[in-house]
Amino acid sequence: SPSIAMGKKGPRGPKKMKVRGPAGGGMMGALRSLPTEQRRAPLSPEEQERIVAASRWAIVWPNYINARKTLAQGRRVAADRCVDNPTCTEIAEACKTLGLETVIEPYKKYPRDQWINQIGRVRVRLVDPETKEEIMPRKKLLSQLGAIIYDLPSRVDARQAMVKAAIASKATEESAASSSAAASSSKKTNQKKKRNKKRR
């Protein structure tokens, strides 16, 4: 049962401390990691078992394979093996192509990036539940995720859209420059005609 821990006595009496609940492991720890609305909703035995099982899976934070992050900010592999700003959905999709089971925890925040908008992490099952053998080392997984995410259809479409936008922007700039040059040339011609008329 929860217990109240009292701090050292100060000038205004004992300091108030936070209420301590049961240990953070097992079922209670896994359930407390869920959003409030999910904790209140009734869970089936299968869902409870899955939550507890996933709480023991390997963790993959987007920072681990983010090319825009430094080693101090949490990047775990070489920048040339990473991608820009990967999402949890992309990581889960990449793991799926490798035949790995995943669970997205979108409500988690990376400790080193508490004030960054990008949140969430992915739990990946890297150990076979029956044989207890390692399916894939996490280091090997992280080194492969970047290349797989880079080739995802959503990423390919985004790059193609950027190329088209860049071409359209360049064409617009060239057209504007051409129009400006034509207008400038026309203005000079008119000024020259006016000077010739005055001389006559």
Side-chain angles (χ1 to χ4, degrees), residues 55-100:
S55 69
R56 302 189 186 101
W57 296 357
I59 296 174
V60 177
W61 292 96
N63 280 38
Y64 288 178
I65 56 171
N66 191 340
R68 298 194 177 190
K69 299 295 182 181
T70 63
L71 294 176
Q73 292 172 326
R75 182 166 52 78
R76 294 290 182 89
V77 292
D80 59 358
R81 290 181 175 269
C82 299
V83 289
D84 290 346
N85 301 322
T87 65
C88 290
T89 303
E90 289 176 330
I91 293 173
E93 191 174 345
C95 289
K96 186 178 179 181
T97 64
L98 294 173
L100 299 173

Side-chain angles (χ1 to χ4, degrees), residues 102-122:
T102 61
V103 170
I104 296 177
E105 298 177 332
Y107 41 86
K108 295 291 186 179
K109 282 192 175 183
Y110 190 54
R112 301 186 194 181
D113 275 346
Q114 287 289 334
W115 305 108
I116 304 300
N117 291 329
Q118 186 185 34
I119 61 174
R121 68 185 183 188
V122 182

Side-chain angles (χ1 to χ4, degrees), residues 154-196:
S154 57
R155 288 267 176 166
V156 174
D157 293 342
R159 289 197 297 272
Q160 291 177 347
M162 288 178 64
V163 170
K164 289 180 180 179
I167 293 174
S169 177
K170 186 176 181 180
T172 301
E173 290 177 359
E174 290 177 349
S175 177
S178 178
S179 299
S180 178
S184 177
S185 177
S186 177
K187 185 177 180 180
K188 289 180 180 179
T189 302
N190 292 335
Q191 289 176 347
K192 188 175 181 180
K193 288 181 179 179
K194 288 180 180 180
R195 286 197 296 270
N196 290 338

Side-chain angles (χ1 to χ4, degrees), residues 1 4 9 26 30 34 36 41 44 54 61 63 66 83 94 116 132 187 192 197:
S1 60
I4 299 177
K9 188 173 182 179
L34 293 172
T36 304
S44 66
W61 292 96
N63 280 38
N66 191 340
V83 289
I116 304 300
K132 306 301 180 183
K187 185 177 180 180
K192 188 175 181 180
K197 286 183 178 179

